[in-house]
Amino acid sequence: MTKPKRKRISLALQGGGALGAYTWGALDRLLEDERIEISAISGTSAGAMCAVVLADGLAEGGAEGARKQLRQFWEGVARAGNSNPYRRTPTMAFLGAFMPAWAQENIALWADATSRLASPYDFNPLNVNPLKDVLEELVDFERVRGCKALEIFIGATNVETGRVQVFSKPELTADHVLASACLPQLFKAVIIDGTPYWDGGYTGNPALFPLFDVKATNDIVIVQIHPIEREGAPRAASAINARVNEINFNASLLAELRAIEFVGRLLDESRLPEGRYRKMLIHNLSEAQALTPLGIGVDLNTDLSFFNTLFDTGRAAAERWLGEHFDALGERSTVDLGAMFRDAPKGGEAKPLR
């Protein structure tokens, strides 16, 4: 019996520190599904790390190799967060160590205040970054660059121009991924070819436009960590700061989605030259508020049990998403961009991005 043709998708992976373990779980379930083929990935920060780890495992051992490699990576991050005291300090600064919620929030607030008075050039002069060790130990970047199964795009922020810089697969090294995840309050800018780079989340979280040229598919599945919408205005200082961060890290994504909606609408109205533009089909694989309760420090936790909880959440979300939206792939968006930007809900199963 002939197997049905696999549906191809592009993935857009948001950054979010330790919350990237949710993306790990979602990817694990997608890789398990033989009906899905991943043609391209655009990733930022933790999403960028997931992208190169997946590509490395895929090149070496197919889908099962990618699943195995992703697990080894997140277990490696957890070990780095619980290593000797010298390495523990910068790791805690980047992702945080496991602790009660109240203590985690207070320490996060203290770290935020401290970062406004001292820079990483002062408190981390050696620029120690345990994630660099984890990446270089686990990922064969020569194999990533040679992976023929999918395209990869990694977003970082050019410090000098304030614009997004997208690195493609043929040039990728550990430095490109670290640039995508470089929080300037904690680490020195990553210098690549004489140019300093910071976290890509400021300008493309994740960047969608590189996926417009992926001819294999029009479907973009966003694995979203930061919810766009929340009810009410936060009052506590920590909640206000957390919501500000969410808004900032979603700003570039919303701008690109607005452009996609505009072009799609003009195509539907036959107001653009046929063949010059493509209508992208947008999907969202997110747990929204269930994934990220409002507060500072939730994304600063390297405890393996926390990672495993997020992994399970991501797998369950992907399972539901596949059950509800698989048939729509290649046919229609399951995110109603019109409802999001023009307050005009449409029929069918499309929903506003949340």
Side-chain angles (χ1 to χ4, degrees):
M1 183 176 177
T2 305
K3 288 185 178 180
K5 186 177 179 180
R6 301 172 79 185
K7 292 193 175 186
R8 295 176 176 177
I9 62 173
S10 292
L11 291 173
L13 310 181
Q14 266 199 337
L19 293 174
Y22 168 86
T23 301
W24 162 35
L27 293 176
D28 188 80
R29 179 62 187 90
L30 293 175
L31 288 164
E32 187 180 65
D33 197 311
E34 295 183 351
R35 302 172 299 167
I36 294 285
E37 180 177 332
I38 302 170
S39 296
I41 303 177
S42 177
T44 295
S45 195
M49 294 182 186
C50 284
V52 297
V53 172
L54 183 151
D56 184 34
L58 198 65
E60 183 182 26
E64 286 305 308
R67 295 176 67 198
K68 178 181 177 182
Q69 196 81 328
L70 283 163
R71 176 169 291 279
Q72 289 180 339
F73 172 75
W74 285 98
E75 290 177 348
V77 173
R79 284 194 300 272
N82 290 281
S83 59
N84 65 67
Y86 176 74
R87 293 184 61 194
R88 183 179 177 84
T89 300
T91 303
M92 287 176 64
F94 181 65
L95 292 174
F98 179 70
M99 61 191 71
W102 63 268
Q104 182 173 303
E105 182 169 303
N106 288 338
I107 288 178
L109 286 171
W110 173 84
D112 179 67
T114 301
S115 69
R116 298 173 191 274
L117 301 175
S119 88
Y121 296 83
D122 301 318
F123 64 74
N124 188 9
L126 298 180
N127 206 31
V128 176
N129 188 342
L131 286 175
K132 181 178 176 67
D133 295 339
V134 176
L135 273 175
E136 292 182 341
E137 179 180 343
L138 183 64
V139 178
D140 183 337
F141 278 90
E142 183 175 351
R143 192 158 55 208
V144 170
R145 293 189 293 271
C147 178
K148 294 182 171 33
L150 77 167
E151 295 299 317
I152 306 173
F153 306 98
I154 302 303
T157 298
N158 184 315
V159 179
E160 296 174 332
T161 68
R163 298 188 180 97
V164 65
Q165 173 67 51
V166 175
F167 301 108
S168 58
K169 183 175 64 177
E171 60 188 320
L172 291 182
T173 65
D175 280 344
H176 294 90
V177 180
L178 292 171
S180 182
C182 179
L183 294 174
Q185 299 87 353
L186 303 175
F187 298 107
K188 297 178 182 180
V190 177
I191 308 298
I192 298 175
D193 295 330
T195 301
Y197 292 98
W198 284 342
D199 195 294
Y202 299 114
T203 51
N205 195 22
L208 302 184
F209 68 88
L211 302 175
F212 299 168
D213 292 327
V214 177
K215 303 303 182 184
T217 178
N218 286 12
D219 289 280
I220 298 177
V221 180
I222 302 168
V223 181
Q224 188 180 5
I225 290 174
H226 301 286
I228 289 175
E229 296 183 4
R230 286 191 186 274
E231 292 185 3
R235 296 190 175 189
S238 60
I240 291 171
N241 288 334
R243 185 57 182 149
V244 167
N245 287 338
E246 286 180 343
I247 292 171
N248 287 338
F249 281 118
N250 277 323
S252 59
L253 175 62
L254 284 171
E256 288 202 81
L257 289 173
R258 183 182 289 275
I260 290 171
E261 189 277 332
F262 179 67
V263 170
R265 179 156 42 92
L266 293 183
L267 287 170
D268 288 342
E269 297 169 357
S270 300
R271 295 168 60 190
L272 288 176
E274 187 174 350
R276 287 190 60 188
Y277 298 89
R278 303 168 65 203
K279 184 172 183 178
M280 307 308 296
L281 306 180
I282 304 300
H283 314 274
N284 183 21
L285 205 167
S286 173
E287 279 296 295
Q289 295 190 38
L291 174 63
T292 53
L294 193 55
I296 277 187
V298 69
D299 58 343
L300 304 177
N301 186 342
T302 58
D303 184 70
L304 184 58
S305 66
F306 180 60
F307 286 170
N308 285 332
T309 297
L310 288 172
F311 170 85
D312 291 340
T313 303
R315 265 196 66 94
E319 180 72 34
R320 286 192 298 275
W321 183 85
L322 286 166
E324 295 174 3
H325 300 308
F326 176 81
D327 290 341
L329 291 174
E331 301 293 332
R332 60 190 179 277
S333 291
T334 54
V335 171
D336 191 342
L337 298 180
M340 180 189 301
F341 296 115
R342 294 183 289 116
D343 296 321
K346 299 185 175 105
E349 64 179 63
K351 302 175 182 178
L353 190 66
R354 304 191 71 84

